[in-house]
Amino acid sequence: MITIPDLIRKKRDGGQLSDDEIKAFIQAVKEKTIQDSQTGAMLMAIWLNGMVSAEIKALTREMMSSGEVMEWPDEWKNFMVDKHSTGGVGDKVSLVLAPALAACGCKVPMISGRGLAHTGGTLDKLESIPGFKVEQSREQILEILDSVGCCIVGQTETLVPADRVLYALRDITSTVDSLPLVTGSIISKKGAESLFALVLDVKFGRAAICKDLESATELAQMLVEAGNGLGICTAAVLSGMNSTIGRCVGNSVEVIESLETLKGNRPDDLMELVTTQGGLLLVMTGLVSDLSEGRKQISEAVVGGAALSKFQAMMEAQGVNSDTAQLLCSTNADYYSILRKAKHQLELKAPADGIVLEIDGLVLAQVLHRLGAGRSKAGEPVNHSVGAVLLVSIGQRVTKGDPWLRLHYEDLALTPDQRNHLESALTVGADKKIQTQQKHTLVEKILPEKYQ
């Protein structure tokens, strides 16, 4: 019988682990019969030597099978869909996309995460709404999907327990960026949702895990292959992540922007991501024949108010008082009568006349993180009121002294260094520089290309 040290040695020396060997490793992780130091050694061996496709498929399958796998009524099975983003700045796509998909006839059991480091978490955003409960039992999820069509919840204790162990150890062993381990973590959780179709938003750029299109494509191909390997119809959208998505960054302000989008006041870049990802899922489920028609249906669900109605119903089903939900979804909502507003607001001014050439999303997110909008360790609280609202767009002409950013912050005062850092996020240039810029779009390509 092969031992854990034998498995570590084999992977360390560049060998390919068999399905049974990977199963034995994940079983030991789940049953806690392996020492953390041994798990860490295996993770580092995988980080150093990578994994071939067969290994990644086995790893993903065994991680998924380490806990409960959701079951749905037969009549839902071809319409169970979800999405996953590799993380960005101002990424509020889920808050708009889930209800839009439900309005189009899909069932969306969206299991989301919390923010860590500079990236925001969907659950943190929703918890800025008083009463919103992200922890729901399997029975409650079934009930919400039956009555509403979508829910956005946290990972349950019984779902992919092996991933929780591996994720924590990846963080402290500097193996977070191993593509096979990233793939196993993401796809095993989606597999446990028993999805029919999945779309992955793989981001690249300064504010993303993948810094360039080449590495993002490598990750996307790995994720799509692993998803298809579990029997999930899987596609990936590769999108740029240098600036922000929409104009708001931070928990409460992103909820406000999401609600405004659902009321028809929609930023073009956010809607590009929502309609592309939603349109793909409608194609994959067979609800539409092509991506153009899919985009159109998702857009109509948002513009026509059907998605807003679903969002209101989802809030109420997940614990929000009906009067609160109704007020938030009303036409001229006084958002800050419900959502927490930061004690202080500060506007930053444009340093010169010219065209806005660039807004560095990573810089904004890093400063907001230090001011309390994010967390450095899992389990830390976040301040939902801290955030920033962009008052200008890329390509817009500004005059020296025009406000370009409104910062919302609490007791932690902005230090001179943080202010300088924020001001460096804006690049204003002469008119001639803007001539080379095209319309500001985020989606670079779609995999598989047959959906393009």
Side-chain angles (χ1 to χ4, degrees):
M1 180 178 168
I2 196 162
T3 66
I4 293 297
D6 290 334
L7 293 181
I8 296 169
R9 186 181 303 111
K10 183 176 181 180
K11 196 67 212 170
R12 180 201 68 187
D13 295 341
Q16 179 178 332
L17 299 177
S18 70
D19 288 5
D20 286 343
E21 288 168 338
I22 290 171
K23 182 176 183 177
F25 170 62
I26 295 299
Q27 194 79 8
V29 169
K30 176 189 173 183
E31 296 175 355
K32 298 182 169 59
T33 58
I34 184 174
Q35 297 176 33
D36 283 354
S37 58
Q38 292 176 311
T39 305
M42 178 63 88
L43 294 175
M44 185 55 73
I46 293 170
W47 186 89
L48 287 168
N49 294 307
M51 283 182 144
V52 299
S53 178
E55 289 177 296
I56 295 170
K57 184 177 178 179
L59 176 70
T60 306
R61 184 180 60 248
E62 294 305 329
M63 287 174 67
M64 178 191 79
S65 302
S66 70
E68 177 187 21
V69 176
M70 306 288 274
E71 294 182 1
W72 311 113
D74 287 342
E75 61 269 24
W76 293 3
K77 287 186 177 176
N78 290 349
F79 305 103
M80 303 301 304
V81 302
D82 198 1
K83 53 83 68 171
H84 177 84
S85 167
T86 56
V89 178
D91 190 351
K92 55 197 76 70
V93 169
S94 294
L95 277 65
V96 180
L97 180 57
L101 285 165
C104 291
C106 293
K107 298 290 185 183
V108 193
M110 193 173 281
I111 297 177
S112 296
R114 299 192 179 278
L116 195 61
H118 77 273
T119 58
T122 298
L123 300 183
D124 297 318
K125 293 164 193 175
L126 288 169
E127 284 183 335
S128 67
I129 303 171
F132 198 103
K133 295 181 178 66
V134 300
E135 305 303 332
Q136 302 285 339
S137 69
R138 181 182 174 278
E139 292 70 29
Q140 288 169 319
I141 290 171
L142 267 167
E143 190 177 318
I144 296 167
L145 288 178
D146 186 43
S147 61
V148 181
C150 63
C151 61
I152 303 179
V153 299
Q155 185 177 346
T156 66
E157 287 297 312
T158 57
L159 202 73
V160 198
D163 179 62
R164 276 196 300 279
V165 177
L166 294 181
Y167 192 90
L169 288 170
R170 281 167 58 205
D171 195 35
I172 61 174
T173 56
S174 296
T175 55
V176 170
D177 58 350
S178 161
L179 295 190
L181 295 176
V182 168
T183 299
S185 178
I186 291 171
I187 301 299
S188 63
K189 290 191 283 260
K190 297 305 178 184
E193 291 178 36
S194 297
L195 300 175
F196 179 82
L198 170 66
V199 67
L200 301 146
D201 185 2
V202 181
K203 299 190 177 298
F204 64 94
R206 280 189 304 275
I209 295 173
C210 300
K211 300 305 177 187
D212 53 54
L213 182 59
E214 184 180 1
S215 59
T217 301
E218 182 185 358
L219 175 57
Q221 288 170 335
M222 206 175 281
L223 290 165
V224 168
E225 189 173 341
N228 287 328
L230 291 182
I232 305 169
C233 187
T234 309
V237 174
L238 284 89
S239 62
M241 191 67 255
N242 288 318
S243 185
T244 67
I245 299 170
R247 288 195 169 203
C248 296
V249 184
N251 296 298
S252 289
V253 293
E254 287 191 47
V255 168
I256 292 171
E257 186 168 38
S258 299
L259 284 162
E260 283 296 305
T261 300
L262 289 165
K263 295 172 189 178
N265 306 314
R266 54 200 195 281
D268 290 342
D269 55 353
L270 174 58
M271 280 303 291
E272 180 193 9
L273 294 174
V274 169
T275 57
T276 301
Q277 292 172 41
L280 276 170
L281 289 168
L282 295 185
V283 171
M284 289 190 281
T285 55
L287 288 168
V288 298
S289 58
D290 58 50
L291 182 55
S292 175
E293 179 61 24
R295 283 182 168 131
K296 181 183 175 187
Q297 286 206 17
I298 293 290
S299 181
E300 287 175 352
V302 174
V303 175
L308 179 64
S309 296
K310 289 291 185 183
F311 190 82
Q312 181 176 336
M314 182 182 74
M315 283 195 287
E316 293 180 22
Q318 293 193 230
V320 178
N321 177 279
S322 59
D323 289 340
T324 298
Q326 188 172 353
L327 199 156
L328 286 172
C329 294
S330 63
T331 305
N332 296 307
D334 179 5
Y335 294 115
Y336 288 118
S337 68
I338 295 170
L339 305 178
R340 180 178 170 187
K341 187 175 184 178
K343 293 178 184 175
H344 309 288
Q345 284 82 45
L346 171 71
E347 289 189 352
L348 298 186
K349 313 290 186 182
D353 295 352
I355 302 292
V356 176
L357 300 179
E358 191 175 281
I359 299 169
D360 193 326
L362 179 59
V363 169
L364 296 184
Q366 288 172 334
V367 173
L368 291 173
H369 175 259
R370 293 190 207 105
L371 292 173
R375 56 173 63 84
S376 298
K377 295 179 184 175
E380 285 182 344
V382 298
N383 189 321
H384 293 117
S385 68
V386 173
V389 180
L390 291 173
L391 306 176
V392 298
S393 303
I394 291 174
Q396 181 178 331
R397 183 182 297 278
V398 293
T399 302
K400 181 178 179 179
D402 285 350
W404 70 274
L405 179 85
R406 183 179 298 118
L407 182 70
H408 295 242
Y409 65 102
E410 291 274 282
D411 296 327
L412 287 173
L414 197 65
T415 66
D417 182 57
Q418 287 170 340
R419 182 168 184 140
N420 290 337
H421 204 42
L422 268 183
E423 288 175 341
S424 73
L426 177 71
T427 302
V428 175
D431 290 10
K432 61 182 180 181
K433 293 187 179 179
I434 202 68
Q435 301 305 318
T436 59
Q437 285 192 234
Q438 303 299 314
K439 187 176 184 290
H440 185 54
T441 58
L442 298 180
V443 175
E444 186 68 28
K445 67 177 179 179
I446 295 168
L447 297 174
E449 291 183 357
K450 66 179 180 180
Y451 295 123
Q452 190 83 36

